[in-house]
Amino acid sequence: MIIVGAGPGGIFSAYELVKNMPSLKIAVFEAGGPLEKRRCPINGTTVKSCIGCKTCSIMSGFGGAGAFSDGKYNITNDFGGTLYAHVGKKQALSLMRYVDEINLSHGGEGTKLYSTGGTKYKKICMQNKLTLLDASVRHLGTDINYVVLQKLYEELKDKLSFFFYTPITRIDRSGDGFCVRWNADGGEQEASCANCIVSVGRSGSHWLGDVCRQLEIPTKSNRVDLGGRVELPAVIFEDITSELYEGKMVYRTEKFEDQVRTFCMNP
């Protein structure tokens, strides 16, 4: 098995395969570096803006683009993707809770789980032409999120092969399996596998589109959300953020009936 991408999708794919098929030979290829070597050169003094690194340490590397984020894990079908369309809503929630259990057992214990269940803000939102979406939110925080990812890496590193700073250039069919190619030492190298998981995230989306066209895998366009940043004194929203941490509130505009919602609320 070859896994392309060591973001959340690649990490948890590897975790499940190691647990359920320990005899399977697995290699994970990642364009970025291991967690401890992911460093953005911007320091605010000598380097004040992006210098166009060959591989962006913020977007790529073990843990993916969310490795240094606020560590928010949403348990809901109301936003954040359409997994339920493929596996059903009950199974989708079950999988999200399973991921939460893994996070808790790898350093996330003691972190708070926020929920919209039974909150007074349901009624307040309805009174103001808003809809509060149902969700539970596990807030790990940036520091604990890093700890969880590091512990997952420590558990996996001796059970499979990681190839960092190795962006895959192409994937071809090879008999009943696949051939994965990358550039190294001035030439092209390759590895074959029976099965291949590609989980390259946002930074690899254009490349993945090329791969799908080459392998004649059908794709479809997803919607794009546009966001606007609004800043207010913390006291304005502290009642909501203290109880919900992040409340997803939807408003339907009167003139065009567009749906607008709060996104990535940060107290």
Side-chain angles (χ1 to χ4, degrees), residues 13-173:
S13 294
Y15 181 91
E16 287 297 288
L17 289 168
V18 165
K19 185 178 75 170
N20 294 301
M21 303 178 69
S23 63
L24 189 66
K25 187 177 180 181
I26 306 168
V28 179
F29 289 83
E30 167 57 45
L35 200 57
E36 70 275 8
K37 292 185 179 180
R38 293 181 63 179
R39 294 286 184 275
C40 176
I42 297 175
N43 56 21
T45 53
T46 56
V47 182
K48 296 184 178 181
S49 60
C50 180
I51 60 173
C53 296
K54 185 177 180 180
T55 301
C56 177
S57 288
I58 297 298
M59 294 298 292
S60 299
F62 188 87
F68 306 108
S69 71
D70 193 24
K72 285 183 291 194
Y73 288 79
N74 297 304
I75 303 173
T76 180
N77 286 316
D78 281 4
F79 55 86
T82 57
L83 176 62
Y84 63 87
H86 304 280
V87 301
K89 290 190 173 183
K90 186 175 180 180
Q91 174 70 353
L93 287 174
S94 177
L95 288 169
M96 293 177 209
R97 294 188 182 103
Y98 174 54
V99 169
D100 186 50
E101 290 171 5
I102 295 172
N103 287 339
L104 292 179
S105 66
H106 287 76
E109 64 277 0
T111 54
K112 188 169 182 179
L113 181 68
Y114 297 83
S115 176
T116 57
T119 177
K120 63 184 178 182
Y121 291 104
K122 280 273 190 182
K123 180 179 178 181
I124 294 173
C125 284
M126 290 175 67
Q127 291 171 334
N128 290 276
K129 297 182 180 180
L130 298 169
T131 301
L132 179 63
L133 299 179
D134 291 324
S136 294
V137 180
R138 173 74 64 187
H139 179 226
L140 295 181
T142 304
D143 294 341
I144 300 299
N145 196 50
Y146 186 97
V147 170
V148 170
L149 288 171
Q150 189 62 45
K151 287 191 174 184
L152 284 168
Y153 175 70
E154 293 296 327
E155 183 173 329
L156 293 172
K157 67 177 184 176
D158 296 326
K159 300 173 182 176
L160 49 81
S161 299
F162 280 104
F163 295 89
F164 291 109
Y165 304 112
T166 309
I168 298 302
T169 54
R170 61 181 289 137
I171 300 173
D172 296 302
R173 297 190 191 278

